[in-house]
Each structure stands twice: as C-alpha cells, then as structure tokens.
Amino acid sequence: YFQTSFKQPYPTRIQSIPKQITLIESNTEVGQVHLVGKQIEELLQTQGKELNPYQIAIVLANEELLVPLLQALPADYQSIYST
C-alpha cells in the first residue's frame, strides 16, 4: 500500500542500501530497555570501530523509557541522537 500511495519514486539510497531489522520481544517495558543495551553492547564487541551509530534506530513506544534506555546503554557508546 505504501509504495502505491507514495507519489514520487523512492530515493536511490533507500532502494539500494540493504537493511537489517531486528525485533526484540520482552515481557516488560524495562526489560526491553535492558535488552536494547545488551544488543548494542554485542554490536560494539563484534563490529568495534566499524559500527556506525547513525545506522542504529531504537523506537520506543513509550517515551517514559528514554531515561532508563540512556542509563542502559553501554558506557563506551558515545554517540546518540534523540528525537
């Protein structure tokens, strides 16, 4: 539906760059925050300096989880942009 309702062609950068989307399920909202912290820590360990923080998006359904999320992020994760 979205593609047929989108009036202009998709930008090339959206069409050509492969995406990896990971959905994580948790029983509690705070558990979700801790899992995100662990996932980012694993990415830092496996990818190291090759990890581009601008390619990571974390979507919170509850904005009240922002502060717990910031506290759950690894200490060496220095770049973050919040909207």
Side-chain angles (χ1 to χ4, degrees):
Y1 170 77
F2 177 76
Q3 190 171 13
T4 58
S5 66
F6 198 71
K7 299 197 185 305
Q8 299 175 359
Y10 288 124
T12 305
R13 65 182 168 79
I14 293 176
Q15 293 178 0
S16 62
I17 299 173
K19 283 115 185 113
Q20 178 181 352
I21 299 173
T22 304
L23 301 176
I24 301 171
E25 184 177 352
S26 175
N27 292 336
T28 65
E29 290 181 331
V30 174
Q32 292 175 9
V33 168
H34 290 290
L35 286 172
V36 168
K38 288 180 184 178
Q39 290 289 318
I40 290 180
E41 190 172 338
E42 287 178 16
L43 284 172
L44 286 169
Q45 289 175 355
T46 57
Q47 296 184 18
K49 295 191 183 239
E50 294 178 11
L51 178 65
N52 184 353
Y54 299 107
Q55 293 182 335
I56 297 175
I58 302 169
V59 180
L60 296 174
N62 182 351
E63 64 187 26
E64 293 177 2
L65 293 175
L66 180 60
V67 173
L69 172 68
L70 294 174
Q71 294 172 344
L73 291 176
D76 51 348
Y77 189 71
Q78 298 176 1
S79 298
I80 187 163
Y81 175 73
S82 171
T83 60

